[in-house]
Amino acid sequence: MTMEIPRVAVEFMNSDHDHAAEQLADMLAALPTYGAAPAALAEACRAFLDHNREHFAREEEAMQATGFPPYPVHKQEHERALAWLADFTAGVAAGSPDADAVNRVVGQEIPAWFIQHIQTMDFVTANWIASH
């Protein structure tokens, strides 16, 4: 799967997004082994989760440093996404979601959320950061 990652006005965000897309590709590559060996997908999910924690912290620091007015809304979305990804990762590690659910989340829901988050919240945030 090749994803077209939207570009934003702040380079560290673009670099982080590119890295996240690579990690998402790793998750997709591990999908076929999920039923027999969930550990590979669980590890890929953990890497994606950890990267997003670090990325969100960098974004939040930049938002605070530039006085981004809707910072609380963007931070709340980060917290919601991290909770969702952490719950999903824990489930994968336990082997609890069925393969259809895992395929749907990794193949559709996470990529859709990722692109939408960049196109909406990150686009506006990056323009603010770049101009302040």
Side-chain angles (χ1 to χ4, degrees), residues 74-96:
H74 198 150
K75 181 174 176 47
Q76 183 177 39
E77 169 56 16
H78 286 168
E79 290 169 355
R80 186 203 65 76
L82 290 174
W84 171 51
L85 293 170
D87 286 348
F88 178 72
T89 298
V92 168
S96 60

Side-chain angles (χ1 to χ4, degrees), residues 37-50:
L41 180 57
E43 183 54 40
C45 290
R46 266 192 291 281
F48 184 75
L49 174 62
D50 290 345

